[in-house]
Amino acid sequence: MMNAVTKINCIIWSIVLLLLAVPVTAQVSHVGMGQSKNFNNTLAQIDLTFTFPEGFKEIKAPNTENFPFDYALELPGSDFEIWMRVSTQKESEKLLADKNIHVANPDSLYINIAQNQIAAFTSEKKYIRRNLPPYILERYNADAGSVYLLSIADSPVTRHYKYGFLTILQKNKTGTVLAVCFTNEKGPEFFKNMNKASNCLKFKE
């Protein structure tokens, strides 16, 4: 018989799959007024499309050694933010090399990128990780990807958020997309807000 923790994990994963499986709706693609030049350039380099999610507002993304993000959004009136990082494969390899992290297989680069970023958010090892199934990868035109649900160490840099939901997608020999959704409550409203932006980034065919 499953214990309470296992049941909660199953429920969370079921909700995530349900949300990510929602069909992509038609939206007008555009970039925010303060969109950084580097973010735009990298989007073009790895053939990635960005659709500004309805109802969101652009905010300044942190860009430090431990939190090297390119772009960030918030949902006004909600306890919810998204930070994004788009990297070419060479940029990802350099980031890991600078931290003395060896990657044996380039196709598993995304795993090391995710784990390195998670280590900056928390020292805890007890987080939920799930590989994305093929039908979801196909929707984003990605070759590999994972999602992680973790508790975040209290910090002014992360604006004292308690939880993060990290998604990473990889296009082999091209690049990676890493997005982190922040919240203080892991209830249905969090997953509802996350779903509103779930289709804003996608690799081209």
Side-chain angles (χ1 to χ4, degrees), residues 95-129:
L95 184 148
L96 294 176
D98 289 345
K99 295 179 180 293
N100 295 316
I101 299 174
H102 176 67
V103 180
N105 181 3
D107 290 348
S108 64
L109 182 67
Y110 71 102
I111 297 175
N112 299 85
I113 291 293
Q115 291 176 341
N116 175 69
Q117 189 55 65
I118 289 172
F121 283 126
T122 179
S123 59
E124 293 185 9
K125 303 299 181 181
K126 297 180 180 179
Y127 51 79
I128 299 173
R129 175 181 182 267

Side-chain angles (χ1 to χ4, degrees), residues 152-187:
I152 298 175
D154 185 60
S155 168
V157 178
T158 55
R159 298 188 248 283
H160 305 288
Y161 278 109
K162 296 179 180 179
Y163 306 106
F165 187 94
L166 186 150
T167 301
I168 187 161
L169 297 170
Q170 175 172 302
K171 190 80 169 178
N172 293 343
K173 300 179 181 180
T174 303
T176 58
V177 177
L178 185 150
V180 186
C181 299
F182 297 92
T183 187
N184 286 315
E185 299 292 339
K186 293 186 292 184

Side-chain angles (χ1 to χ4, degrees), residues 13-197:
W13 184 232
S14 297
I15 293 173
V16 170
L17 287 180
L18 178 63
L19 293 175
L20 290 176
V22 174
V24 178
T25 57
Q27 295 180 351
V28 178
S29 297
H30 70 284
V31 287
M33 295 300 293
Q35 182 73 71
S36 72
K37 182 178 180 180
N38 289 339
F39 188 58
N40 275 324
N41 289 340
T42 308
L43 288 174
Q45 288 180 52
I46 65 174
D47 286 332
L48 194 73
T49 61
F50 175 73
T51 301
F52 198 95
E54 184 178 354
F56 281 77
K57 176 184 177 183
E58 181 181 315
I59 58 175
K60 185 177 181 180
N63 187 8
T64 65
E65 182 179 355
N66 290 329
F67 304 103
F69 288 86
D70 306 309
Y71 195 65
L73 302 168
E74 69 174 359
L75 190 58
S78 299
D79 186 26
F80 185 81
E81 287 185 22
I82 305 174
W83 297 358
M84 306 175 193
R85 183 167 82 236
V86 178
S87 307
T88 64
Q89 180 165 323
K90 288 185 178 180
E91 289 172 336
S92 294
E93 290 174 345
K94 183 179 185 306
L95 184 148
L96 294 176
D98 289 345
K99 295 179 180 293
N100 295 316
I101 299 174
H102 176 67
V103 180
N105 181 3
D107 290 348
S108 64
L109 182 67
Y110 71 102
I111 297 175
N112 299 85
I113 291 293
Q115 291 176 341
N116 175 69
Q117 189 55 65
I118 289 172
F121 283 126
T122 179
S123 59
E124 293 185 9
K125 303 299 181 181
K126 297 180 180 179
Y127 51 79
I128 299 173
R129 175 181 182 267
R130 297 290 185 272
N131 289 326
L132 292 173
Y135 76 94
I136 291 181
L137 294 174
E138 184 178 356
R139 177 164 292 124
Y140 292 97
N141 294 319
D143 295 311
S146 297
V147 293
Y148 304 76
L149 183 61
L150 57 142
S151 297
I152 298 175
D154 185 60
S155 168
V157 178
T158 55
R159 298 188 248 283
H160 305 288
Y161 278 109
K162 296 179 180 179
Y163 306 106
F165 187 94
L166 186 150
T167 301
I168 187 161
L169 297 170
Q170 175 172 302
K171 190 80 169 178
N172 293 343
K173 300 179 181 180
T174 303
T176 58
V177 177
L178 185 150
V180 186
C181 299
F182 297 92
T183 187
N184 286 315
E185 299 292 339
K186 293 186 292 184
E189 189 68 20
F190 171 54
F191 292 100
K192 180 180 178 181
N193 291 336
M194 187 173 63
N195 187 51
K196 293 178 181 178

